[in-house]
Amino acid sequence: MEKVLEEQYKVDRDDVEIKPIKQPVQEALPLKENPLDLVPKQMLQLKPDVVIKPLEKPQKTEAVSDPITKNFGRIIDNASRQTGLHASLIRAVIQVESGGDPNAISPTGAGGLMQLMDSTAQELGVTDRFDPEENVLSGSRYLAKMLDRFGELKLALAAYNAGPGTVEQYGDIPPFRETEQYVERVIREFTSHSEQNATMLKRSDDVTDKDSE
C-alpha cells in the first residue's frame, strides 16, 4: 500500500519548472532630508499659508534667585531652625539692615548682615560680627529674645532697632521716624516674601501660655 501511494504522489523533479518572480523587488527609497516629502500632499491637508518649521531646541531658563537667599540661604535656614523664627523674617531683617552686605557698617557702628552693635555682639558671645554665620545666628537669637519679651512682632522689631528700654519707656513703637520706617519696611519685606499669610505676629501658643503662667 505504501509503495502504491509513493508512486502515486511521486514528483519528478526534472519536470518542475522554477519560474522567476515577475515583479522585481524594488530597492529601498533613499532617506530624504524632509520625511514629509514621502507623504502625498493631499494627505497632509495643510492650508497654503501653513509653514512647517523645524523644531527648535528648548532654551534653558535659569530661575532668578533672591541674592540674599542665594548667598545666605543655608545660614538663614539654620538660624530659623535654632530660633524658631520664620526664615522669611530673618531674610527681611537682613535686607533692611544691610541689603545683604556682610561687611556693612552703619553710622552708629552696627556691623554685618543683621547690623549688630559691638556691645550686643559681646553680650551674645560673638567673636566676629562680620562673619555671616555668626552674625545671622546671633542676630536671630536676639530678635527671638525680643519677640519673647514683648510678644508682638512690631514691638520686637522696634526693640531690635531702638533698644528694648526705649520700647518699654513708650509702651509702643517709639515715635522716632527711623524706627517707625524700619518696622514698616521689615514687615513689608517679610509679608511679600513669606509663603504664609504673615500671621506670625506672635510666637507659638506654647510661648504665650508659658508667659501667662
Side-chain angles (χ1 to χ4, degrees):
M1 183 66 179
E2 292 179 357
K3 290 184 179 181
V4 173
L5 291 174
E6 183 179 355
E7 290 292 332
Q8 183 176 356
Y9 291 97
K10 184 177 181 181
V11 178
D12 187 355
R13 294 184 179 180
D14 295 336
D15 296 336
V16 176
E17 181 181 2
I18 300 175
K19 297 182 180 181
I21 299 175
K22 293 183 180 180
Q23 296 181 352
V25 178
Q26 296 181 355
E27 296 181 358
L29 294 174
L31 182 63
K32 298 183 179 181
E33 294 182 358
N34 187 358
L36 292 175
D37 292 341
L38 302 177
V39 183
K41 293 183 179 180
Q42 62 270 22
M43 293 179 63
L44 295 177
Q45 298 180 350
L46 297 177
K47 296 181 181 180
D49 57 345
V50 175
V51 178
I52 299 177
K53 295 182 179 180
L55 295 176
E56 297 180 357
K57 294 183 178 180
Q59 297 180 352
K60 295 182 179 180
T61 56
E62 297 182 358
V64 179
S65 177
D66 171 63
I68 293 178
T69 304
K70 180 179 180 181
N71 296 327
F72 308 108
R74 180 189 62 80
I75 295 174
I76 292 173
D77 288 341
N78 179 53
S80 174
R81 286 193 298 270
Q82 293 198 38
T83 62
L85 295 178
H86 197 290
S88 293
L89 177 60
I90 299 173
R91 181 219 159 271
V93 174
I94 293 174
Q95 175 64 54
V96 175
E97 288 284 0
S98 65
D101 181 4
N103 299 313
I105 302 177
S106 73
T108 58
L113 288 172
M114 295 186 73
Q115 293 288 278
L116 296 178
M117 295 295 293
D118 190 46
S119 57
T120 305
Q122 291 179 5
E123 179 185 341
L124 296 170
V126 177
T127 57
D128 181 7
R129 60 186 175 138
F130 293 101
D131 176 72
E133 194 153 7
E134 272 197 274
N135 187 288
V136 173
L137 181 56
S138 299
S140 299
R141 283 175 175 168
Y142 184 74
L143 179 58
K145 182 179 179 180
M146 294 299 100
L147 195 52
D148 284 338
R149 181 170 177 175
F150 294 100
E152 194 173 349
L153 181 57
K154 65 177 185 177
L155 296 181
L157 292 171
Y160 191 94
N161 177 262
T166 308
V167 174
E168 288 179 342
Q169 178 184 349
Y170 288 95
D172 201 347
I173 299 176
F176 306 147
R177 183 174 179 82
E178 177 188 345
T179 302
E180 291 173 344
Q181 290 181 344
Y182 173 82
V183 172
E184 182 182 347
R185 289 178 61 196
V186 172
I187 292 179
R188 183 169 60 247
E189 283 285 336
F190 171 47
T191 55
S192 63
H193 286 83
S194 175
E195 295 179 354
Q196 300 177 356
N197 295 325
T199 56
M200 194 187 107
L201 298 180
K202 293 184 178 181
R203 293 300 293 275
S204 64
D205 294 337
D206 293 338
V207 174
T208 306
D209 293 340
K210 289 179 181 179
D211 292 340
S212 61
E213 291 178 357

